[in-house]
Every structure is written in structure tokens, then in C-alpha cells.
Amino acid sequence: MEYRLLGHSGLKVSVLSLGTMTFGGQGKFAKTGQTDVSAAERQIGLCLDAGINLFDTADVYSGGESEVILGKALGNKRHDVLVASKARFPMGEGPNDRGSSRHHILRACEASLKRLNTDYLDLYQLHEWDGLTPLEETLRALDDLVSSGKVRYVGVSNFSAWHIMKTLGVAQANYYIRPVSQQIHYTLQAREAEYELLPVAQDQGLGVLVWSPLAGGLLSGKYRRNQAAPEGTRHLADWGEPPVRDESALYDVVDVLVDIAKARGVSAAQIALAWLIARPQVTSVIVGARNDAQLQDNLLAADLKLNNEEIERLNKVSQLPLLYPYWHQAQTAPDRLSAADLSLIAPYLKK
């Protein structure tokens, strides 16, 4: 297992980490999986054997049950690993039971610590942007949590690039704790993060944690062109996260994934994960699984190295159009672009 520094910090995390949205299976999260404590213990054991050291959860997953199960399943191994959680989404019916206010963040952190049966979180993340709460208030609350020893590092998730830059600016101006990472959705099916989120991560020294790296199963190889979806799975028309805007383009990507996988004698899922691990800005790819077999298959991606030809095929079939102002920069300013600029624009420049 390879370990990478998490952004501008000294913390090293495994290139694969375990996401625990499947733990609990309550409410709307039941469709993602129903992993109980005994199954969670097995999965965590598989992860530890493979070298994974980061386990990611959130208070909203199954109404807190994911955190409870993760805490029980880790047991006395808790201090040997890194635990990350998140807060922002509703955890009650009251008007202050959501958001990134000081009131909610402090209460949410205390509740997560109790459910996880731990006295600190290695990484505490804002799960989503809150446009109503002043960032000074949010960051001061996070700063206090770090000063008190209840949180070691902080991060953000699902922020836009301007949200990130504003957050970093407010943190710097007020000497508050600076986020070290962003958790984002990024796959061969959805490469929008390349427009701004990955360049800002490279420029500002942010680690990148990728959630739902198989696009909710779309890139697993189960869904093929002109073939009925496997029984018990969703239809593409029901897909909201991530949205499928171009079904034909999706299947073009899957066709290449399956072709490379067959030639390698591995699963399409492993190829999709290996492509992400090889992306220069990505720190760790968060995998989750309904069962042990899926997890064991995903874990093999940590040692799978794609060659240049395979990467180029995947890049080409999934490449997004260059939006404004980037196409204009490519045409008029290629000699004055930074490494962060070129992380997006370089593939589009004329040879």
C-alpha cells in the first residue's frame, strides 16, 4: 500500500481508504448497503491487512448509526488508524440542527465523538457549503475544536473552487486552522473536478479524497450498453448521484474499461480505481462495498499500475470539452500558465 501526504500537512494516508456509508443501512441509506457490526469487523480486518489506515464516515450516514458501527468494529484498533467524519446536514428537526454554525458544529462534533467511542477525530470535514453562516464563525468553531484536542485536522467536502478560496482566505486572515483537504466526487464518468477543484488543490496544497469513485456502481462493469441492468439494481433513469447526462458517453467509457480489464484479467472496477489513484492531485480514493467480495476486489486496485497507453485510452474516451475561459487561455496564453493551470489545459494544447 502506498501512503501519501494529506495536502500541506505531515499526515500520511493510504491511497485507498474505506468509506462507511454502507454501515447501518437505515432510512435512505439502506439502498447503499446494510453492513452490521460483524460484517464491518470483517471489512475493517480486510482493509487493515491491505494497509488501509483511513476510515471515513459522517454523522448523517444512517442517522449516526454508521459512526456507531465503525466505533464498535474498530474497538481497540482505533488508535492505530485515522478516523474521519463530517458534519453539516440535518441531524434533527430543529432549525439549528443543520448547517455550519458554531452551535451546530460543536454539538455535532461532540455527538460524533460519543457515537464513535473516541475522544478525538483525525480529520473533521464540513460536509457541504453553508452560504448562510459567516465563515469566520465556522472556522473559529473548528479552530476551537483543534485547540481543545478533539480534532486533529479539518477539511471540506463538496465545495466549489471559490468556496475553497474564500475559506482559505478567511482562515489566513484570522489565523484560524486551515483546511488540509477536500473530499470530492471525481470519476471517469464525471471529470468536472478537473476544471477548478483539482487545480485549486494543486495550487493551494490541499489533499484530495475521492468519494463514490465507481460512480455508484456505474463503472463497475455491471451496466452495459443494450443490456438489462442486473436484478435489484437501479435503472439509469433513477440515477441522481451522479447524474447521467449522456448515457451513450457513459457506455463509451464502460466499453474501454471492460476492454482494458479483460486484457489485464481484472475487473473493470479495478481499472477505474487505478486510473484515479494515478491522477497526480488525488491523495486517497474512498472505496465502499456491500459485501466482502466487492471490497476484496477493490483493494487489489492499490497495486494495479496502468501503462501510458491504457491511461491515454481512458483519458480520451472520457475527456470533457474545454469551457470558457480555459479554451481562451489555451489559445492566447499557453506560454504563461502555471502547473496548476496546465493540469487542466495541457491535454488540449496543440502539439
Side-chain angles (χ1 to χ4, degrees):
M1 180 67 64
E2 179 187 353
Y3 300 90
R4 298 173 178 172
L5 290 171
L6 185 63
H8 190 63
S9 81
L11 189 68
K12 285 195 171 184
V13 301
S14 47
V15 294
L16 287 180
S17 46
L18 183 68
T20 63
M21 186 184 289
T22 60
F23 288 13
Q26 295 186 13
K28 66 180 181 179
F29 293 95
K31 63 183 180 182
T32 67
Q34 298 181 329
T35 304
D36 59 16
V37 175
S38 61
E41 288 175 342
R42 289 198 308 274
Q43 290 191 5
I44 288 171
L46 291 170
C47 288
L48 293 176
D49 289 342
I52 282 179
N53 73 343
L54 176 61
F55 296 84
D56 182 77
T57 186
D59 59 1
V60 74
Y61 295 164
S62 292
E65 188 63 19
S66 170
E67 291 181 321
V68 171
I69 292 175
L70 177 59
K72 290 180 178 178
L74 282 174
N76 59 14
K77 302 182 186 70
R78 189 273 170 264
H79 296 293
D80 298 325
V81 301
L82 305 173
V83 174
S85 193
K86 302 181 283 292
R88 155 65 173 82
F89 289 115
M91 289 298 289
E93 298 299 324
N96 292 307
D97 291 334
R98 66 195 68 201
S100 298
S101 67
R102 180 179 181 85
H103 173 87
H104 182 63
I105 290 295
L106 295 182
R107 290 183 64 189
C109 184
E110 293 287 356
S112 288
L113 293 173
K114 184 176 181 180
R115 285 189 291 265
L116 285 160
N117 192 30
T118 186
D119 54 3
Y120 68 96
L121 291 168
D122 297 282
L123 178 65
Y124 198 40
Q125 303 155 103
L126 301 175
H127 206 164
E128 179 66 88
W129 174 251
D130 178 356
L132 299 181
T133 302
L135 274 168
E136 290 83 357
E137 177 180 340
T138 301
L139 291 172
R140 175 59 190 270
L142 292 174
D143 199 72
D144 287 346
L145 287 172
V146 173
S147 297
S148 68
K150 295 175 181 177
V151 168
R152 301 281 171 83
Y153 297 90
V154 300
V156 299
S157 180
N158 304 311
F159 277 35
S160 70
W162 79 262
H163 294 153
I164 290 172
M165 288 305 299
K166 184 175 182 179
T167 300
L168 295 175
V170 170
Q172 180 176 346
N174 294 276
Y175 301 97
Y176 293 148
I177 189 70
R178 184 184 193 272
V180 298
S181 63
Q182 59 170 326
Q183 190 173 141
I184 64 172
H185 182 62
Y186 177 43
T187 73
L188 279 163
Q189 187 269 342
R191 293 176 61 178
E192 299 94 337
E194 294 178 8
Y195 288 130
E196 294 198 344
L197 292 177
L198 295 184
V200 80
Q202 181 170 337
D203 186 70
Q204 296 296 312
L206 289 173
V208 173
L209 308 175
V210 177
W211 61 264
S212 195
L214 297 179
L218 290 176
L219 302 178
S220 65
K222 294 186 299 184
Y223 300 89
R224 302 299 307 278
R225 196 190 315 267
N226 300 322
Q227 294 182 16
E231 186 176 349
T233 60
R234 293 179 287 172
H235 297 287
L236 292 189
D238 301 327
W239 230 281
E241 196 175 274
V244 180
R245 300 187 177 94
D246 189 334
E247 189 172 327
S248 179
L250 164 66
Y251 288 131
D252 289 343
V253 172
V254 174
D255 288 344
V256 176
L257 277 173
V258 171
D259 188 50
I260 294 174
K262 286 182 178 178
R264 284 287 196 121
V266 300
S267 68
Q270 288 181 42
I271 299 297
L273 294 172
W275 179 84
L276 276 172
I277 293 171
R279 304 304 284 174
Q281 297 90 352
V282 169
T283 309
S284 184
V285 177
I286 303 171
V287 297
R290 290 175 177 267
N291 54 59
D292 295 356
Q294 285 183 355
L295 179 58
Q296 288 173 315
D297 182 78
N298 289 348
L299 291 175
L300 294 174
D303 296 321
L304 181 61
K305 306 297 182 184
L306 301 179
N307 60 44
N308 291 337
E309 181 183 358
E310 291 166 335
I311 292 174
E312 182 57 31
R313 287 181 64 191
L314 292 167
N315 289 347
K316 184 176 180 180
V317 75
S318 61
Q319 190 173 56
L320 295 172
L322 200 59
L323 300 178
Y324 176 81
Y326 309 114
W327 59 259
H328 196 272
Q329 294 168 3
Q331 292 178 15
T332 65
D335 61 324
R336 301 288 290 182
L337 298 177
S338 70
D341 297 319
L342 290 170
S343 70
L344 167 67
I345 295 175
Y348 301 86
L349 295 177
K350 294 179 180 180
K351 304 297 183 182

